[in-house]
Amino acid sequence: MLAVHAHPDDESSKGAATMATYLQAGARVMVASCTGGERGDILNAAVGELAHAHRDLPGVRRREMAEAAQALGIEHRWLGYVDSGLPEGDPLPPLPGGCFALQPVERAAAPLVKLIREFKPHVMTTYDENGGYPHPDHIQCHNVSVFAFEAAADPEFRPELGDAWSVSKVYYDRGFSPDRFLTLHQGMLDAGLESPYAERIKFMQENEGQPMFAWVKNHPTTTRVLSSDHFATRDAALKSHRTQIDPDGFFFAVPNEIAAEHYPWEDFTLARHRIEGYEVDPNEPEDDLFSGLRD
């Protein structure tokens, strides 16, 4: 299994419990980080004054990624591109020269094609066409992943990058699935606790047809991987990214025991596959990213 992510910390906030589940089952799992997160902000106030983080954020984020990889037990590869940053303002400023999002897709995909041909994954996960959320690097990650899925299987494309390899299935991560937030919201209320999603749920109810998060694409959830046994592992990996993750913040707002009771899965959308005759009914989601590939 190969999970392609834009920045260090994305691997821990999106699909991490699923990766840990497959590792326990004996699969090899590799994470490819497209960029080093060099232009990220320090988002955790608890480390806001750490001189090392301010002086060398790229170096700190590499160390954090190594700790997260160890917590999850994954293999890891940097693809070597520079973080594009998240532009803000109206109008938006131009992206910095040389950044990942400005690279021609064919060029940017070459390291991923090489990795696919070396690692030979059967399943790949990535983001949808809006990047899961519309950060330029997330959108480029989608573009690069889709291109590499096709190009790695083409023996005529860059043969110096290795022998052609066909990935069988590509999934989009559905970490922002509305079903998940609605269910966890009700689970918190049923437990007599304040829901961290109350305002967003109220907005949805008062604005019929509007999603909880404006950027979420309406892809069907085709696959739910039971992964609650590894929610604690996911949290440990997330907390390794100390400059990016507030241990009292959004990602930890719902206790794991409530999440395990009400929504013990991680959600995915099957986006592409190469299995003859294979179909998934969104009304009956599959429970295994490797469905159709096992003997």
Side-chain angles (χ1 to χ4, degrees):
M1 175 179 171
L2 174 63
V4 188
H5 288 285
H7 311 104
D9 79 69
D10 289 325
E11 84 297 326
S12 297
S13 61
K14 303 167 185 66
T18 293
M19 291 191 289
T21 298
Y22 284 113
L23 279 162
Q24 186 180 58
R28 287 182 67 191
V29 179
M30 171 82 77
V31 166
S33 299
C34 294
T35 79
E38 297 88 351
R39 290 191 169 95
D41 296 320
I42 297 176
L43 300 176
N44 180 4
V47 298
E49 297 304 317
L50 284 182
H52 188 187
H54 286 283
R55 183 178 69 252
D56 182 23
L57 184 60
V60 170
R61 297 201 69 180
R62 292 184 77 87
R63 187 181 67 195
E64 291 174 346
M65 182 65 230
E67 292 180 18
Q70 184 175 16
L72 290 171
I74 58 167
E75 301 172 56
H76 179 250
R77 187 76 61 87
W78 299 102
L79 295 189
Y81 291 102
V82 177
D83 188 348
S84 304
L86 183 59
E88 296 179 316
D90 186 13
L92 292 174
L95 294 174
C99 69
F100 177 55
L102 293 181
Q103 300 300 314
V105 170
E106 180 173 336
R107 180 191 303 166
L112 183 57
V113 170
K114 186 174 188 294
L115 177 58
I116 289 170
R117 290 175 175 177
E118 290 176 357
F119 185 61
K120 296 178 170 56
H122 298 286
V123 170
M124 188 164 74
T125 65
T126 187
Y127 314 138
D128 67 19
E129 65 275 17
N130 205 36
Y133 79 101
H135 187 297
D137 287 333
H138 283 242
I139 295 170
Q140 179 76 321
C141 180
H142 163 82
N143 295 336
V144 163
S145 298
V146 171
F147 184 94
F149 170 74
E150 299 293 346
D154 180 1
E156 300 299 319
F157 180 80
R158 301 286 300 272
E160 74 276 13
L161 298 177
D163 295 336
W165 176 259
S166 296
V167 179
S168 296
K169 301 173 85 176
V170 175
Y171 287 90
Y172 295 157
D173 177 85
R174 290 280 290 160
F176 288 103
S177 165
D179 288 345
R180 175 174 176 266
F181 289 101
L182 286 164
T183 304
L184 293 179
H185 168 76
Q186 190 60 51
M188 291 289 281
L189 297 182
D190 291 348
L193 299 173
E194 183 178 352
S195 169
Y197 313 127
E199 290 187 11
R200 290 185 183 274
I201 299 294
K202 181 180 179 182
F203 172 83
M204 290 175 62
Q205 293 171 340
E206 293 176 349
N207 298 270
E208 188 174 353
Q210 293 296 315
M212 176 179 290
F213 302 100
W215 59 81
V216 174
K217 293 291 184 179
N218 190 29
H219 293 296
T221 294
T222 64
T223 312
R224 284 179 169 163
V225 179
L226 183 63
S227 51
S228 55
D229 286 350
H230 299 282
F231 284 174
T233 301
R234 172 203 63 195
D235 290 353
L238 263 171
K239 290 175 182 177
S240 297
H241 295 284
R242 287 176 291 277
T243 61
Q244 304 300 300
I245 303 296
D246 182 352
D248 298 318
F250 174 83
F251 289 107
F252 309 102
V254 175
N256 281 340
E257 57 269 23
I258 291 179
E261 178 182 357
H262 294 276
Y263 212 89
W265 312 279
E266 290 185 328
D267 293 342
F268 300 87
T269 295
L270 179 61
R272 289 168 171 76
H273 72 81
R274 292 188 170 104
I275 307 173
E276 186 175 355
Y278 188 77
E279 294 183 6
V280 177
D281 181 355
N283 295 315
E284 298 181 12
E286 60 181 4
D287 60 4
D288 182 6
L289 299 181
F290 290 84
S291 289
L293 298 175
R294 299 182 186 275
D295 295 332

